Amino acid sequence: MPTRPAGGSVVLLSGGMDSATCLALAARDRPPVHALTVVYGQRHLREIRSARRLGRRYAVARHIVLDLPLGPLLDSALTRSGRPLPGARRRRGSIPTTYVPARNTILLAVALGYAESEGCGAIYYGANAVDYSGYPDCRPEFVRAFARLARLATRAGVEGGRTIRVVAPLLHRSKGDIVRLGDRLGVPWELTWSCYAGGERPCGQCDACRLRARGFRQAGRTDPLVPGLRPGSRRSA
Ligand code: ZN
């Protein structure tokens, strides 16, 4: 007899707003939570500290911080410090230079193996197709394809008749919706990190900072990481 799932979930936890909101949802709906953070060579390593703090705040059952140095393989502005980050003038609809080749496929594959090993029934993944529509591995068709793969590629799915669900609860939400949802869940935004630039303070200029600012502006509240930026105002420097 195949073993039955013990329940629980794996959360891909980068330390950003979206994965923090996923963590709060998983803690509410699918405990015990196993958090997975991958150090893949991103230049904004500051987010790893945020991920660790979030894991502690939510008292996850286990937090794996996995060193998987993919930087030399994967060409991206997020992994190569010499590459400029895209600013506000990125062409709409184009895939930004912060796309990391196949990164989310790789991270989800690691999460899938971890979830099956732990007997977890779900992987929480903070893909968002509204604001990040340039990334192919954040689109609904990608999430559907990976969910199918999770059924076909695991013993749990093939023998056990047990599907490891790929839960992407933020897929169709705007950044403002995510802030409002996170507020209802009590997400500690001050522990999250979004900036791509690699500094100790948000740069205010990169795509991630702009999207974050837009989310807080839409939700009509102040970002605790940028207390000087009032709702309704635009940061110019
Ligand atoms: Zn930034």
Side-chain angles (χ1 to χ4, degrees):
M1 281 289 289
T3 53
R4 297 302 305 162
S9 53
V10 169
V11 177
L12 273 174
L13 182 64
S14 70
M17 307 170 65
D18 298 348
S19 71
T21 305
C22 281
L23 175 61
L25 284 168
R28 186 190 71 182
D29 299 336
R30 278 270 191 176
V33 171
H34 299 256
L36 175 63
T37 301
V38 180
V39 187
Y40 61 83
Q42 60 271 60
R43 57 200 268 187
H44 52 307
L45 273 173
R46 170 66 181 73
E47 70 174 9
I48 306 299
R49 202 191 315 159
S50 284
R52 287 186 193 278
R53 288 175 177 166
L54 286 163
R56 284 197 293 273
R57 172 66 65 91
Y58 281 87
V60 296
R62 197 173 178 201
H63 188 180
I64 302 282
V65 179
L66 181 68
D67 234 337
L68 193 64
L70 297 168
L73 283 71
L74 307 183
D75 181 31
S76 165
L78 282 197
T79 54
R80 307 269 159 96
S81 57
R83 301 270 303 272
L85 292 167
R89 300 198 187 284
R90 176 164 66 82
R91 197 158 43 87
R92 194 164 172 77
S94 62
I95 297 175
T97 57
T98 47
Y99 165 70
V100 183
R103 179 192 61 188
N104 293 347
T105 307
I106 296 166
L107 301 190
L108 279 167
V110 175
L112 180 62
Y114 185 30
E116 185 174 27
S117 299
E118 294 290 338
C120 293
I123 298 167
Y124 279 72
Y125 166 51
N128 181 247
V130 177
D131 284 328
Y132 284 99
S133 54
Y135 293 159
D137 50 3
C138 286
R139 296 178 185 178
E141 52 267 43
F142 168 77
V143 176
R144 279 196 299 273
F146 198 91
R148 180 160 184 266
L149 180 132
R151 284 195 299 278
L152 298 176
T154 57
R155 185 167 67 185
V158 171
E159 278 186 2
R162 160 171 87 76
T163 302
I164 297 170
R165 292 180 56 216
V166 178
V167 183
L170 310 181
L171 200 55
H172 300 290
R173 289 178 185 267
S174 71
K175 225 44 177 181
D177 283 344
I178 293 169
V179 173
R180 283 186 280 267
L181 172 64
D183 275 344
R184 288 198 295 278
L185 294 163
V187 170
W189 300 123
E190 71 279 8
L191 300 186
T192 66
W193 188 259
S194 302
C195 181
Y196 286 152
E200 277 296 307
R201 289 173 180 278
C203 76
Q205 297 295 311
C206 72
D207 269 7
C209 278
R210 289 174 186 276
L211 286 170
R212 182 179 176 113
R214 185 196 298 169
F216 279 95
R217 197 165 56 237
Q218 286 172 349
R221 82 193 288 310
T222 302
D223 181 355
L225 288 190
V226 195
L229 190 65
R230 312 297 308 173
S233 68
R234 284 173 189 275
R235 180 161 157 171
S236 58

